[in-house]
Every structure is written in structure tokens, then in C-alpha cells.
Amino acid sequence: NAGVTQTPKFQVLKTGQSMTLQCAQDMNHEYMSWYRQDPGMGLRLIHYSVGAGITDQGEVPNGYNVSRSTTEDFPLRLLSAAPSQTSVYFCASSYVGQGNAEAFFGQGTRLTVV
Amino acid sequence: GDSVTQMEGPVTLSEEAFLTINCTYTATGYPSLFWYVQYPGEGLQLLLKATKADDKGSNKGFEATYRKETTSFHLEKGSVQVSDSAVYFCASGGTSYGKLTFGQGTILTVHP
């Protein structure tokens, strides 16, 4: 019973490097999202998707790209990492069309940009 | 836009003490409300939820009641345990799909 799987768990990047954070879910959820967690600021929405081929920006999208080619996968790309992107990143999924639906979260990726 | 405000933390209690973590929200429409818990080194997991006014969510001894008149969803537990030490997040659910707005989180530490 995998749920939402994120890889890697930890990553250190140099400023200017690019990388992709992977997220996969096996619950056939249409809605997937990426959040970043910073001390004292809760979780802030970066990007989200309501289905394959459909993505949209959240509260803090700058510096990040996403795509959704399949229902299962929703990778987050950092094009040119900056120290301000040091954070813990969480991927989540839930059913579409149900505002009361539970969101399932991955274990998180702790990213440090030096 | 929607917003969620939690009480300032961290909160430190002795085992068996009473816990209250305040949460208020602003939203257009009538969102669903959630409490999520994050144990050290883990992702968030749903603790309880309420989908309409006057609903009470409960789980593992925790309770919260959806109060539309005060736009609040305060988390309570009558007797906390050391194992309850975690970060607690209040969240409001989007009325269209699974988009969530989170509060800033409250760190709870329970001492024996």
C-alpha cells in the first residue's frame, strides 16, 4: 500500500543547478499538488494539477516547473536552484470535485541549496 | 483569498494536561476544515475533519468543532500523552477540489 511516494528524501544542490523531485501515487487520484514547508510559514502551494495534461500555479510558483503526463506522476522541476529554495517539499494527492476529500502526503524531500 | 491562522507556538505541556490549539479561518463560501499532524521526520497525515457548520471531527481523543459564527476550528484533547508531541496544522479545503490552505503550524511538546 504505497500511497504517495517522493524521491529523493534528501538532496543538496549548488546554486544554479537543476533537478527534478519525483512524486508518484497509486490511488488513481486526479488532484495532485506540491507544497513547500518553511519554519513559521506552514505549507505553501507551489503548483497543482486537476488531471493529466492540466496544471496551474499556486501561491509560490516562481522558479519551479511541473508537468502531468500521467495520472500517477507529478514531477517538480527546479530550473536553476537558489538558496531561497532551501526547504522541505511535500507532494499530495486527493480526489477531484470533493472539497472535503482527504489529502494524502508523501514523506517529503529535504532540499538544501548552497 | 482564503487564509488560516493558528495560535502562536510552540506549546509545551506535561503529560495528562488539557490541550487547546486555536484556529480561525477566512474563506469565501463554506470550506471543509481539517487538522493534520506531522510527526518528526514524516509527512502530514489527517487527524480529523469537519465538512459543515456544527460538525465535530474526532480521532485519537482529539476533537474540533466547526463554528461558522466565530469562523473557528479549535483543536482540543482532554489528556495529552508524550506520543502526541508533533506539529499540528489547521487547514481549510477548497470548495472546488482538493486545494488546501494551511495555517503556520503549532509545535506541541509533551513532557513526562
Side-chain angles (χ1 to χ4, degrees):
Chain A
N1 191 8
V4 179
T5 303
Q6 287 184 238
T7 56
K9 286 189 170 53
F10 301 94
Q11 182 70 49
V12 178
L13 289 179
K14 293 182 179 178
T15 297
Q17 285 185 314
S18 63
M19 80 159 293
T20 299
L21 279 62
Q22 301 292 344
C23 176
Q25 52 94 6
D26 61 0
M27 297 171 282
N28 203 32
H29 287 165
E30 293 169 288
Y31 182 83
M32 296 185 73
S33 53
W34 277 100
Y35 294 87
R36 59 177 289 171
Q37 182 182 19
D38 301 295
M41 302 188 73
L43 276 75
R44 292 181 292 169
L45 183 64
I46 303 171
H47 284 286
Y48 64 95
S49 168
V50 299
I54 306 169
T55 64
D56 206 348
Q57 297 181 349
E59 181 185 355
V60 288
N62 292 341
Y64 308 95
N65 273 0
V66 292
S67 60
R68 185 93 179 270
S69 56
T70 67
T71 300
E72 294 78 20
D73 300 300
F74 190 45
L76 178 72
R77 280 183 287 277
L78 282 71
L79 303 175
S80 178
S84 61
Q85 294 178 304
T86 293
S87 188
V88 182
Y89 292 85
F90 288 99
C91 178
S93 72
S94 62
Y95 291 109
V96 172
Q98 299 179 38
N100 59 353
E102 175 182 354
F104 293 81
F105 285 82
Q107 294 283 306
T109 296
R110 185 174 294 274
L111 175 68
T112 302
V113 182
V114 298
Chain B
D2 296 0
S3 67
V4 175
T5 302
Q6 289 181 232
M7 64 184 293
E8 296 292 328
V11 175
T12 302
L13 295 172
S14 298
E15 204 164 27
E16 300 184 3
F18 184 84
L19 168 71
T20 300
I21 301 177
N22 290 339
C23 171
T24 57
Y25 69 92
T26 61
T28 53
Y30 301 99
S32 295
L33 300 174
F34 306 85
W35 278 99
Y36 281 84
V37 59
Q38 183 182 30
Y39 297 105
E42 298 185 9
L44 279 72
Q45 53 187 277
L46 181 67
L47 179 61
L48 53 84
K49 68 181 183 183
T51 60
K52 60 184 187 296
D54 300 324
D55 265 5
K56 178 186 281 188
S58 61
N59 186 25
K60 298 181 181 179
F62 291 90
E63 292 184 339
T65 301
Y66 191 143
R67 301 285 188 202
K68 190 173 73 171
E69 63 277 11
T70 54
T71 62
S72 65
F73 193 55
H74 305 322
L75 182 69
E76 296 182 335
K77 187 174 186 183
S79 176
V80 294
Q81 305 300 312
V82 172
S83 57
D84 293 327
S85 297
V87 184
Y88 292 82
F89 292 94
C90 185
S92 67
T95 52
S96 56
Y97 35 76
K99 203 167 163 184
L100 294 171
T101 300
F102 284 90
Q104 63 268 46
T106 301
I107 300 171
L108 171 65
T109 303
V110 180
H111 293 297

